Amino acid sequence: MRLPAPAKLNLALLVGPRRPDGRHEVATVLQRLDLADRITLDRAERLAVNGFRDDTLVRDALVRVADAAGIDPRWQARIEKRIPVAAGLGGGSSDAATALALANRTLPRPLEAEALHDLAAGLGADVPFFLHPGPALATGIGTELSTLELPQDFWVVVVLPEGETKRSTAEVYAAYDDSGGEQGFGDRRAALLEALAEVRRPRDLAKLPPNDLASSPVAGELLAQGAFRADVTGAGPAAYGLFMQRATAERAAVALRPLGRTWVTVPAWYG
C-alpha cells in the first residue's frame, strides 16, 4: 500500500502563554500542499523502515499502532522524501500520520478515528492534522482541530533559503518567551477568528495575521514578485507566497532561485 504524505503550510501561527504542562497555547491555520513525500507499507516478518536514514517518527508510529492493537509491528515501510527536511513544512509529521493510516488499514480490527487521533497526538502536535480532511484551525497545543472552509484555487511558491537551517523547537520557543511575545494572545486570537470568518476568496487570506514565531526577508521578495500573501511556515526557515496565477508563481520561483531552492505547488485537500 502506498499513500502521499503532503507538506503543510501555517497560513497563520499565533503562540500564547506556556501551559502548566510546559507546552504553549497556539492558534494556527493549517493547509496541505500537493508537495508530498510517499510512504509505502508492506507486511514483513519484522519492523523495518527504509529510504530515509534520519527517520524516527515513522518507526515510532508503527510501534505505537501495533501496541494499541495488541500485535507485533510486522511491517516494512519505505519513505520517499520530497519535502525538504527541517524546513517548517511538517514532512516528518505527515510521514508519521500516513504510516499510522496505512498500518491501521492492515489491522483485523482497525482503530477508531478517535484512538488514531490520540496516537497521532502522542507523536507530535502537527501529526493529527494529517489524519484530518481539509484545512483546519488547530488550537490548544495544536491537536484540537476544527475544519475550515478555505478557498483552494491559488498557487503556492515555497522558498527554502540557501544556508539557513531550522533552529530547535525549544530554542525558538525560549526566544519567544524571552521576548514576551505571548502578551496579547487573546486579542490576536480573536482577530484571527474574525479574519477567518471573512475569508471568501483567495485574496482574503492576506488578512490573516503574520507568523508569531518567525519572519524572513524572503517573504518581502515574494510580495515583490506578485504574491498576495507571503510569510514563514512553522518555525521556518521555509517561506511561502500565495499567487492567483500559475504563470506569475512560476516566474517568481525562477526569479527567487538565487536565494535558495524553490517549489511551485497548489493546495491539497487530503493526503
Side-chain angles (χ1 to χ4, degrees):
M1 296 183 295
R2 186 185 189 200
L3 284 176
K8 60 84 180 167
L9 289 182
N10 296 86
L11 292 176
L13 174 55
L14 305 182
V15 180
R18 189 185 296 271
R19 296 152 42 111
D21 62 6
R23 310 290 290 274
H24 287 74
E25 288 286 332
V26 302
T28 182
V29 178
L30 298 170
Q31 169 68 59
R32 283 178 187 77
L33 295 178
D34 192 50
L35 172 64
D37 295 340
R38 297 289 185 272
I39 306 297
T40 303
L41 191 75
D42 296 305
R43 296 183 187 275
E45 288 301 312
R46 58 185 178 83
L47 179 62
V49 179
N50 303 312
F52 180 50
R53 182 179 300 175
D54 295 331
D55 169 71
T56 56
L57 281 178
V58 167
R59 178 177 291 274
D60 197 5
L62 295 174
V63 168
R64 290 187 184 214
V65 74
D67 286 347
I71 63 172
D72 292 330
R74 293 180 176 176
W75 296 289
Q76 176 174 282
R78 181 166 185 83
I79 305 170
E80 299 174 49
K81 291 299 293 182
R82 297 176 183 175
I83 303 169
V85 177
L89 291 161
S93 295
S94 186
D95 293 348
T98 304
L100 279 179
L102 286 171
N104 196 48
R105 294 182 184 183
T106 72
L107 300 177
R109 293 184 178 180
L111 302 176
E112 298 290 339
E114 184 176 351
L116 210 58
H117 177 280
D118 290 345
L119 287 180
L123 291 163
D126 284 341
V127 181
F129 166 67
F130 293 103
L131 298 173
H132 182 93
L137 174 67
T139 55
I141 63 169
T143 59
E144 299 171 23
L145 301 170
S146 302
T147 301
L148 294 173
E149 295 291 337
L150 297 183
Q152 303 285 283
D153 51 335
F154 54 88
W155 293 82
V156 182
V157 175
V158 177
V159 182
L160 183 59
E162 185 72 29
E164 289 196 28
T165 57
K166 184 177 181 179
R167 295 185 295 167
S168 72
T169 301
E171 182 183 358
V172 170
Y173 276 95
Y176 183 76
D177 290 340
D178 289 344
S179 72
E182 78 281 358
Q183 296 179 17
F185 174 69
D187 291 339
R188 298 200 310 280
R189 180 171 54 189
L192 169 62
L193 296 177
E194 184 177 331
L196 283 171
E198 296 175 357
V199 173
R200 299 290 183 274
R201 303 171 301 169
R203 288 187 183 276
D204 295 334
L205 296 171
K207 300 174 184 177
L208 300 182
N211 187 323
D212 274 354
L213 284 182
S215 62
S216 171
V218 176
E221 298 289 344
L222 284 158
L223 292 171
Q225 292 293 329
F228 62 84
R229 176 176 174 81
D231 205 346
V232 174
T233 181
Y240 67 88
L242 310 184
F243 294 80
M244 288 304 303
Q245 302 296 328
R246 176 177 181 173
T248 310
E250 290 178 340
R251 285 196 297 270
V254 171
L256 296 178
R257 280 177 189 162
L259 300 182
R261 297 170 65 193
T262 63
W263 295 261
V264 179
T265 186
V266 291
W269 185 258
Y270 213 152

